[in-house]
């Protein structure tokens, strides 16, 4: 069984205790920092909304843009996905000949 460590993360000024693998701590903290920065950015751009709206907007943006600035883990999949897409393109090209 893998050893998990407890850490506290903060999302929109609320603290949450989670357990993660020690090697994931840096990435989790970086991602949470980015999410909180995005929440602040949305607060500035869309004044008058509820805090839950800002949280939802930030998380939707993050989830739908996995290869952007915050998607380090997902970006690691890019070479794999490019290879698979290239293979599909080759199969289509061969079929169309």
């Amino acid at each position: 069984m893998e050893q998990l460590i407890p850490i506290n993360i903060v999302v929109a000024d609320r603290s949450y205790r989670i357990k993660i693998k020690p090697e994931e701590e840096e990435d989790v903290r970086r991602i949470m920092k980015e999410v909180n920065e995005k929440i602040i950015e949305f607060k500035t751009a869309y004044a008058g909304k509820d805090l839950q709206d800002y949280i939802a907007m930030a998380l939707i943006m993050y989830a739908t843009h996995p290869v952007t600035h915050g998607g380090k883990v997902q970006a690691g999949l890019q070479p794999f996905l490019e290879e698979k897409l290239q293979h599909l393109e080759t199969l289509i090209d061969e079929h169309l000949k």
Side-chain angles (χ1 to χ4, degrees):
M1 181 176 216
E2 286 190 70
Q3 181 180 347
L4 300 177
I5 61 168
I7 66 167
N8 290 319
I9 59 168
V10 176
V11 178
D13 299 327
R14 290 191 70 176
S15 182
Y16 299 91
R17 190 158 181 86
I18 63 171
K19 290 186 177 185
I20 60 171
K21 297 175 188 173
E23 63 271 15
E24 296 174 340
E25 183 176 5
E26 182 180 335
D27 288 333
V28 169
R29 291 193 186 279
R30 177 185 53 80
I31 291 167
M32 294 319 305
K33 181 178 185 252
E34 291 173 7
V35 168
N36 282 303
E37 288 170 355
K38 191 53 75 173
I39 290 168
I40 292 168
E41 186 180 313
F42 284 132
K43 275 183 174 180
T44 304
Y46 304 102
K49 297 265 187 199
D50 183 73
L51 183 58
Q52 185 173 343
D53 293 328
Y54 302 128
I55 295 168
M57 289 163 49
L59 295 177
I60 289 168
M61 185 276 322
Y62 199 87
T64 58
H65 295 91
V67 187
T68 60
H69 176 63
K72 181 179 175 184
V73 173
Q74 292 89 342
L77 293 175
Q78 187 171 354
F80 172 77
L81 293 175
E82 286 177 358
E83 178 185 333
K84 293 299 179 188
L85 289 171
Q86 182 63 42
H87 179 67
L88 287 173
E89 185 177 359
T90 303
L91 290 174
I92 291 169
D93 288 344
E94 288 174 3
H95 183 71
L96 293 175
K97 287 181 184 180

